[in-house]
Amino acid sequence: MINGYEFRHKENGRDTWGLNIYFSTRVIKSIPLTLAIINNALRDVLLGMIPFFIGDIIDVFHRANTKNMAMIQGFVDGNELVIKEVNRKAIQSAVILIILLLLIALMIWALVSFGSYLYSLIASLF
């Protein structure tokens, strides 16, 4: 039981990361914990995407949901090692998010520049 909520977790093949994210944002109200859980969930998705059943085999051993539950429990209990891991993963997630946002902005700029170049090229033909 965490903060008055009975939170059971089963690793039976179903992804419960959405429930973990809800729990970390709404019940515990911790942004670093939420970022760490998203980090684990996205790693799990990325590893599962490796083709030829290799991703499935890796996914069985990665156990992101179990790691997320251990992080939630350790964070609530005040375990210093877990809190350090959560903060490390939160910083890692924030940096990756900033890089992705910069890449998206760069892509938008490139598309607008290319579009204006094409427009000027077509306009010069007429």
Side-chain angles (χ1 to χ4, degrees), residues 15-32:
D15 290 329
T16 59
W17 57 267
L19 190 58
N20 290 336
I21 291 171
Y22 172 81
F23 196 74
S24 67
T25 56
R26 301 294 179 196
V27 178
I28 300 174
K29 297 179 181 165
S30 171
I31 292 174

Side-chain angles (χ1 to χ4, degrees), residues 75 79-91:
F75 190 85
N79 185 331
E80 290 296 322
L81 292 175
V82 172
I83 292 172
K84 281 184 181 179
E85 179 186 358
V86 164
N87 289 334
R88 182 184 59 80
K89 285 188 176 185
I91 291 170

Side-chain angles (χ1 to χ4, degrees), residues 12-112:
N12 60 359
R14 283 199 237 149
D15 290 329
T16 59
W17 57 267
L19 190 58
N20 290 336
I21 291 171
Y22 172 81
F23 196 74
S24 67
T25 56
R26 301 294 179 196
V27 178
I28 300 174
K29 297 179 181 165
S30 171
I31 292 174
L33 181 61
T34 303
L35 287 173
I37 288 172
I38 290 171
N39 187 327
N40 270 348
L42 292 177
R43 274 190 194 164
D44 190 44
V45 169
L46 183 66
L47 291 173
M49 290 174 64
I50 298 173
F52 307 116
F53 301 106
I54 296 170
D56 295 332
I57 293 169
I58 293 172
D59 207 19
V60 167
F61 294 107
H62 184 249
R63 298 187 138 339
N65 293 328
T66 304
K67 289 178 184 179
N68 285 340
M69 281 306 301
M71 275 196 310
I72 290 171
Q73 189 67 49
F75 190 85
V76 169
D77 291 343
N79 185 331
E80 290 296 322
L81 292 175
V82 172
I83 292 172
K84 281 184 181 179
E85 179 186 358
V86 164
N87 289 334
R88 182 184 59 80
K89 285 188 176 185
I91 291 170
Q92 185 182 57
S93 296
V95 168
I96 290 171
L97 181 64
I98 290 169
I99 289 170
L100 288 176
L101 288 174
L102 288 173
L103 287 174
I104 289 169
L106 181 65
M107 183 62 85
I108 290 171
W109 173 80
L111 288 173
V112 168

